[in-house]
Amino acid sequence: MSQRMPILCNKKPCYDILFTQSFGELWPSLAELGCQDRRICIVTDSKVDELYGAQVLECLEGKCLKAVKYVFPQGEENKNLDTVRSIYSFLIQEGLDRKDLLVALGGGVVGDTAGYVAATYLRGVDYIQVPTTLLSQTDSSIGGKTGVDFDGYKNMVGAFKMPRLVYVNLSVLQTLDDRQFFSGFAEVMKHGLIRDEILYQWLIDKMYEICERDLDVLQEMLMRSCAVKKSIVEKDPTEQGDRALLNFGHTIGHAIEKYKNFQLSHGECVALGAVAAAYISWKRDLLSMEEYYEVRDMFVPFNLPISVEDIDPDEILRLTKADKKMEAGRVKFILLKKIGKAVIDRTVTDEEILAAIREIYFSDEDAHA
Ligand code: GLY
């Protein structure tokens, strides 16, 4: 059964997340937004296009003024200003004007890139998110953060631009390969760890059904996980304060992602960063030793790494400083005060960060110990 979750901006209804298990409600939802006399451009990547491009285009053709599709090559390396430029050119060529609409069909790369185009083309046009990965369904499609990478730095150029709708078709999760599916799970875990101990416990209880991708359980999981994101972005849409809590695991995570040249997935790096942040929390006596090990080991059944080979801890430390989560020269670190409650901390030292990186560093010596 479909369910709606309204998201407020400035205490007023702004857009809905619609949780469904097919694309059947896509056109009716766009009709509700008055799209009958608008041009619509689907923006997607080559992989998602193969799976769902034709199906989604078919939902729109003949119903709105014009429906077109722009496809760019898949991969984080294409989340850049060159892709943005080619989308602008396509929109101009197809005559899209200010009242037209973009549909971001894909994972985080597509959502962030198409969202940034929507934020800037003609000083802003409407867009909706149709996220097709667990990661984008639970995190990146919600809250209006858009942007692209620049010179290897994640999300360095961007804008806040709220979508008109987030359309979640859960059935697409069944076509994800295991690595991609579980990568998204890292962000679900993050939501439990930072804000919702009950969600965290529920994830432990439902481990089997989640791994089996039972759609009704996944729908409940997403609703619970998105409720955490909703509660945070509604209060702090532009990250002046508590929204930074959503960066739990991301400071060290982004540094590893860059160090590994995006060979590890975002979720895998977030899992590693979360273990490192939980380690610092334990060393500061915020978490008990048992809690630290429980958090760390929780990632294992979901196929997420808790250690990483072939890294240079000093270089990872250096990269944490180049991340944009800095304020007046200090890293804004997110620690766990307890499971289900995260805090922002600006006092984490280089030594603490290095010790945490060494904790997740799996070296040959460990293998032979
Ligand atoms: N993914 C972090 C945020 O939306 O703020």
Coordinates of all heavy atoms in Angstrom, one line a residue, residues 112 135 138-145 155 160 187 190-191 229 232-233 236-239 242-248 250 254 266 325, ligand 1:
D112 N 21.7 14.3 -7.4 CA 22.5 15.5 -7.0 C 22.8 16.4 -8.3 O 22.7 17.6 -8.2 CB 23.8 15.1 -6.4 CG 23.7 14.6 -5.0 OD1 22.5 14.4 -4.6 OD2 24.7 14.4 -4.3
L135 N 20.3 4.0 -1.1 CA 21.0 5.2 -0.6 C 20.3 6.5 -1.0 O 20.0 7.4 -0.1 CB 22.4 5.3 -1.2 CG 23.4 6.3 -0.5 CD1 24.8 5.7 -0.4 CD2 23.4 7.6 -1.3
T138 N 16.8 6.7 0.9 CA 16.8 7.0 2.3 C 17.5 8.3 2.7 O 17.3 8.8 3.8 CB 17.4 5.8 3.1 OG1 17.0 6.0 4.5 CG2 18.9 5.8 3.0
D139 N 18.3 8.8 1.7 CA 19.1 10.0 2.1 C 19.1 11.1 1.1 O 18.5 12.1 1.2 CB 20.5 9.5 2.5 CG 21.3 10.6 3.1 OD1 20.8 11.5 3.7 OD2 22.6 10.5 3.0
S140 N 19.8 10.8 0.0 CA 20.2 12.0 -0.9 C 19.1 12.6 -1.6 O 19.2 13.8 -2.0 CB 21.3 11.5 -1.9 OG 20.8 10.5 -2.7
S141 N 17.9 11.9 -1.8 CA 16.8 12.5 -2.5 C 16.0 13.5 -1.6 O 15.2 14.2 -2.1 CB 15.9 11.4 -3.1 OG 15.2 10.8 -2.1
I142 N 16.3 13.4 -0.4 CA 15.4 14.2 0.6 C 16.2 15.3 1.2 O 17.4 15.2 1.6 CB 15.0 13.2 1.8 CG1 14.3 12.0 1.2 CG2 14.1 13.9 2.7 CD1 14.3 10.8 2.1
G143 N 15.6 16.5 1.2 CA 16.2 17.6 1.9 C 16.8 18.6 1.0 O 17.4 19.6 1.5
G144 N 16.8 18.4 -0.3 CA 17.2 19.5 -1.2 C 18.6 19.9 -1.4 O 19.0 20.9 -2.0
K145 N 19.5 19.0 -0.9 CA 21.0 19.2 -1.2 C 21.2 18.8 -2.6 O 20.9 17.6 -3.0 CB 21.8 18.4 -0.3 CG 22.2 19.1 1.0 CD 23.3 18.4 1.8 CE 23.5 19.0 3.1 NZ 24.5 18.3 3.9
N155 N 31.0 16.9 -3.7 CA 29.9 17.9 -3.5 C 30.4 19.3 -3.3 O 29.9 20.0 -2.4 CB 29.0 17.5 -2.4 CG 28.4 16.1 -2.6 OD1 28.2 15.7 -3.7 ND2 28.2 15.4 -1.5
F160 N 21.0 24.5 -2.4 CA 19.9 23.9 -1.8 C 18.7 24.2 -2.8 O 18.5 25.3 -3.1 CB 19.6 24.5 -0.5 CG 20.5 24.0 0.6 CD1 21.6 24.8 1.0 CD2 20.4 22.8 1.2 CE1 22.5 24.4 2.0 CE2 21.2 22.3 2.2 CZ 22.3 23.1 2.6
E187 N 23.5 4.3 5.3 CA 22.8 5.5 5.7 C 21.6 5.2 6.6 O 21.2 6.0 7.4 CB 22.4 6.3 4.4 CG 23.5 6.6 3.5 CD 24.4 7.8 3.9 OE1 24.2 8.3 5.0 OE2 25.3 8.2 3.1
K190 N 23.0 4.7 9.9 CA 23.3 6.1 10.4 C 22.2 6.8 11.0 O 22.3 7.3 12.1 CB 23.9 6.9 9.2 CG 24.3 8.3 9.6 CD 24.5 9.2 8.3 CE 23.2 9.7 7.8 NZ 23.4 10.5 6.6
H191 N 21.0 6.7 10.4 CA 19.8 7.4 10.9 C 19.4 6.8 12.3 O 19.1 7.5 13.2 CB 18.6 7.3 9.9 CG 18.8 8.2 8.8 ND1 18.2 8.0 7.6 CD2 19.5 9.3 8.6 CE1 18.5 8.9 6.7 NE2 19.4 9.7 7.3
K229 N 15.4 11.5 8.9 CA 15.9 12.6 8.0 C 14.9 13.8 8.0 O 15.3 14.9 8.0 CB 16.1 12.0 6.6 CG 16.5 13.1 5.6 CD 17.9 12.8 5.0 CE 18.4 14.1 4.3 NZ 19.5 13.9 3.4
I232 N 15.1 16.1 11.0 CA 16.3 16.9 11.0 C 16.3 18.0 9.9 O 16.5 19.2 10.2 CB 17.6 16.1 10.8 CG1 17.8 15.2 12.1 CG2 18.8 16.9 10.6 CD1 18.9 14.2 12.0
V233 N 15.9 17.7 8.7 CA 15.9 18.7 7.6 C 14.8 19.7 7.8 O 14.9 20.9 7.4 CB 15.9 18.1 6.2 CG1 17.2 17.3 6.0 CG2 14.7 17.3 5.9
D236 N 16.3 22.2 10.2 CA 17.6 22.9 9.8 C 17.8 22.6 8.3 O 18.8 21.9 8.0 CB 18.7 22.4 10.7 CG 20.0 23.0 10.3 OD1 20.0 24.1 9.7 OD2 21.1 22.4 10.6
P237 N 17.0 23.2 7.5 CA 17.1 22.9 6.0 C 18.5 23.2 5.4 O 18.9 22.5 4.5 CB 16.0 23.6 5.4 CG 15.6 24.7 6.3 CD 15.9 24.2 7.7
T238 N 19.2 24.2 5.9 CA 20.4 24.6 5.2 C 21.7 24.4 6.0 O 22.7 25.0 5.8 CB 20.3 26.1 4.8 OG1 20.1 26.9 6.0 CG2 19.3 26.4 3.8
E239 N 21.6 23.5 6.9 CA 22.7 23.0 7.7 C 23.4 24.1 8.5 O 24.6 24.3 8.4 CB 23.7 22.3 6.8 CG 24.6 21.3 7.6 CD 25.4 20.3 6.8 OE1 24.8 19.7 5.9 OE2 26.6 20.3 7.0
D242 N 21.8 21.4 13.4 CA 21.7 20.0 13.6 C 21.8 19.1 12.3 O 22.0 17.9 12.4 CB 20.4 19.7 14.3 CG 20.6 19.7 15.8 OD1 21.7 20.1 16.3 OD2 19.6 19.3 16.5
R243 N 21.6 19.8 11.2 CA 21.6 18.9 9.9 C 23.0 18.3 9.8 O 23.2 17.2 9.2 CB 21.3 19.8 8.7 CG 21.2 18.9 7.5 CD 20.5 19.5 6.3 NE 20.5 18.6 5.2 CZ 19.8 18.7 4.1 NH1 19.0 19.8 3.9 NH2 19.9 17.8 3.1
A244 N 24.0 19.0 10.4 CA 25.4 18.4 10.3 C 25.4 17.0 11.0 O 26.3 16.2 10.7 CB 26.4 19.3 11.0
L245 N 24.5 16.7 11.9 CA 24.5 15.3 12.5 C 24.4 14.2 11.4 O 24.9 13.1 11.6 CB 23.3 15.2 13.4 CG 23.3 16.1 14.6 CD1 22.0 16.0 15.5 CD2 24.5 15.9 15.5
L246 N 23.8 14.6 10.3 CA 23.6 13.6 9.2 C 25.0 13.3 8.6 O 25.1 12.4 7.8 CB 22.7 14.2 8.1 CG 21.2 14.3 8.5 CD1 20.4 15.1 7.5 CD2 20.6 12.9 8.7
N247 N 26.0 14.1 8.9 CA 27.3 13.8 8.4 C 28.1 12.8 9.3 O 29.3 12.6 9.0 CB 28.1 15.1 8.3 CG 27.5 16.0 7.3 OD1 26.9 15.6 6.3 ND2 27.6 17.3 7.5
F248 N 27.4 12.2 10.2 CA 28.0 11.1 11.0 C 28.7 10.1 10.1 O 28.0 9.6 9.1 CB 27.0 10.4 11.9 CG 27.5 9.3 12.7 CD1 28.4 9.5 13.7 CD2 27.2 8.0 12.4 CE1 28.9 8.4 14.4 CE2 27.7 6.9 13.1 CZ 28.6 7.1 14.1
H250 N 30.8 10.6 7.9 CA 31.2 11.2 6.6 C 32.6 11.9 6.5 O 33.1 12.0 5.5 CB 30.1 12.1 6.1 CG 28.9 11.4 5.5 ND1 28.1 10.6 6.3 CD2 28.3 11.4 4.3 CE1 27.1 10.1 5.6 NE2 27.2 10.5 4.4
H254 N 34.4 10.3 3.7 CA 34.7 11.0 2.4 C 36.2 11.0 2.1 O 36.6 10.9 1.0 CB 34.2 12.5 2.5 CG 32.8 12.7 2.2 ND1 32.1 13.9 2.3 CD2 31.9 11.9 1.6 CE1 30.9 13.8 1.9 NE2 30.7 12.5 1.5
H266 N 30.1 4.8 -1.7 CA 29.9 5.8 -0.7 C 29.5 5.2 0.7 O 30.0 5.5 1.7 CB 28.8 6.8 -1.1 CG 28.5 7.9 -0.1 ND1 29.4 8.8 0.2 CD2 27.4 8.1 0.6 CE1 28.8 9.6 1.1 NE2 27.6 9.2 1.4
K325 N 33.4 19.9 5.6 CA 32.8 20.0 6.9 C 33.7 20.6 7.9 O 33.9 20.2 9.0 CB 32.4 18.6 7.4 CG 31.2 18.1 6.6 CD 30.9 16.7 6.9 CE 31.4 15.7 5.9 NZ 31.1 16.0 4.5
Ligands
GLY1 N1 23.1 13.6 3.4 C1 23.3 14.6 4.3 C2 22.3 15.6 4.3 O1 21.3 15.5 3.5 O2 22.4 16.6 5.0

